[in-house]
């Protein structure tokens, strides 16, 4: 089999550290991959004056699969989020985030095994904001039947394929009757085509409470973009934090795999970040490109690494470096 070309975007902040660790263990797992390394985000802005260089877009377009570190977006001003730009450019409409209790990581919850399915292209992320009058601004929430049906279809297909039992649509249709109402109507319509999958609905605030009381009762969560963003971080907190939760942005042609976490500026450059989230994203990527044996090997090695519990980054209560984690996983491979 010919090696697969994968666009590797080191990203900003802790991105270069955690993606280097992930690339190292993916190679050691025996995956036949050629990395096509591309700059994006602040790193690209500083070097070539453009946070989304044409070379980056061309590389992803050609390779159709990427492993990406987090990209910095300034708060309240500056250029538009590069993540949002990439998701819209490649129409990566589904954001998939599996959240499960991991061996050897002590948290307040056990037996969590849920998947967040987040719509990735619209909602309040449309970027349409304007000042109506001094001191008054509007931010436009865009919900379409097309995108809502498409993400609901994705959630039910995923649930069927992965033998999941329940899809829970999470909304605020009691307040946003038109927009979230449309999202729910589409979810219900799709649910009626999957009689074997149980369908339920929860208002987002109640869903947050239920998630921290009884996370074990959740299976597949179906959310619009903003609720999905917030609930993803909440769910990461149930199983050990942002350092251990993977993600995938999926479209009809292109897939970009990335951790849920951001650039973690508070620990960037210290060799202290947890590389597991990007490594788990890398395992999802290996399965996506058909490198199932390398994926299984790496998954087993990470499982043993976690059970062993000798090497831990600070977020998991240890003192180990990013590199030490990668080296230990590589040794277990
Ligand atoms: P963050 O996820 O970067 O950090 C939140 C907290 O979690 C911090 O305390 C950080 O140290 C910790 N953390 C995150 N990842 C970790 C890891 N791998 N190991 C150990 N600890 C980890 O969120 P933030 O501070 O709100 O955002 C910082 C920047 O990241 C912003 O510019 C934001 O726009 C960007 N961001 C990018 C993405 C992405 O590229 N997909 C996602 C979220 C945020």
């Amino acid at each position: 089999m010919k090696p697969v070309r994968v666009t590797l975007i080191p990203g900003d902040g802790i991105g270069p550290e955690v993606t280097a660790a992930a690339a190292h263990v993916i190679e050691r797992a025996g995956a036949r991959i050629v990395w096509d390394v591309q700059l994006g985000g602040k790193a690209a802005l500083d070097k070539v004056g453009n946070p989304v260089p044409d070379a980056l877009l061309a590389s992803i377009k050609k390779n159709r699969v990427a492993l990406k570190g987090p990209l910095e977006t300034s708060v309240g001003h500056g250029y538009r989020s590069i993540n949002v730009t990439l998701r819209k450019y490649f129409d990566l409409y589904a954001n998939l985030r599996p959240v499960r209790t991991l061996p050897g990581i002590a948290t307040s919850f056990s037996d969590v095994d849920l998947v967040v399915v987040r719509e990735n292209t619209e909602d309040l992320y449309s970027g349409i904001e304007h000042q109506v009058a001094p001191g008054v601004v509007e931010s436009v929430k865009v919900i379409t039947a097309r995108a809502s049906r498409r993400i609901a279809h994705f959630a039910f297909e995923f649930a069927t394929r992965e033998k999941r039992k329940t899809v829970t649509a999470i909304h605020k249709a009691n307040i946003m009757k038109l927009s979230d109402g449309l999202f729910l109507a589409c979810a219900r319509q799709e649910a009626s085509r999957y009689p074997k999958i149980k369908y339920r609905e929860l208002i987002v605030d109640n869903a947050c409470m239920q998630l921290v009381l009884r996370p074990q009762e959740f299976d597949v969560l179906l959310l619009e973009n903003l609720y999905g963003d917030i609930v993803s971080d909440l769910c990461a907190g149930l199983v050990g934090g942002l350092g251990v939760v993977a993600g995938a942005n999926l479209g009809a042609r292109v897939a970009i795999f990335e951790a849920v976490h951001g650039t973690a500026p508070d620990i960037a450059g210290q060799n202290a970040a947890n590389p597991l989230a990007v490594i788990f994203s890398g395992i999802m990527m290996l399965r996506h490109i058909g490198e199932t044996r390398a994926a299984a090997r790496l998954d087993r090695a990470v499982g043993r690494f976690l059970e062993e519990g000798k090497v831990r980054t600070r977020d998991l209560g240890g003192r180990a470096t990013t590199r030490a984690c990668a080296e230990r996983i590589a040794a277990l491979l």
Side-chain angles (χ1 to χ4, degrees), residues 14 68 70-71 73 83 242 258 261-267 274 315:
I14 59 170
K68 177 185 151 303
L71 303 176
T73 305
N83 296 307
L242 289 168
E258 65 175 338
H261 65 69
T263 58
D266 50 337
I267 56 167
N274 191 339
D315 57 314

Side-chain angles (χ1 to χ4, degrees), residues 22 26 34 40 58 60 63 76-78 90 104 118 121 125 144 150 164 197 209 216 228 252 288 295 297 313 317 320:
I26 287 170
V34 176
I60 300 175
N63 299 329
H77 61 89
F90 291 110
R118 164 187 171 195
T121 60
Y125 291 60
T144 65
R150 186 164 71 159
R164 297 268 173 176
I197 308 277
M209 183 196 64
Q216 302 81 2
H288 176 81
R297 218 175 285 140
T313 42

Side-chain angles (χ1 to χ4, degrees), residues 70 124 132 185 265 302 307:
L124 279 161
V132 179
V302 175
E307 273 158 21

Side-chain angles (χ1 to χ4, degrees), residues 119-148:
E119 203 289 323
N120 226 4
T121 60
E122 54 180 31
D123 190 5
L124 279 161
Y125 291 60
S126 60
I128 307 167
E129 287 192 311
H130 44 251
Q131 181 171 308
V132 179
V136 184
V137 294
E138 273 182 2
S139 189
V140 180
K141 169 165 170 156
V142 177
I143 298 292
T144 65
R146 176 178 173 268
S148 303

Side-chain angles (χ1 to χ4, degrees), residues 312-320:
R312 287 259 190 278
T313 42
R314 277 209 301 262
D315 57 314
L316 298 180
R319 299 169 62 174

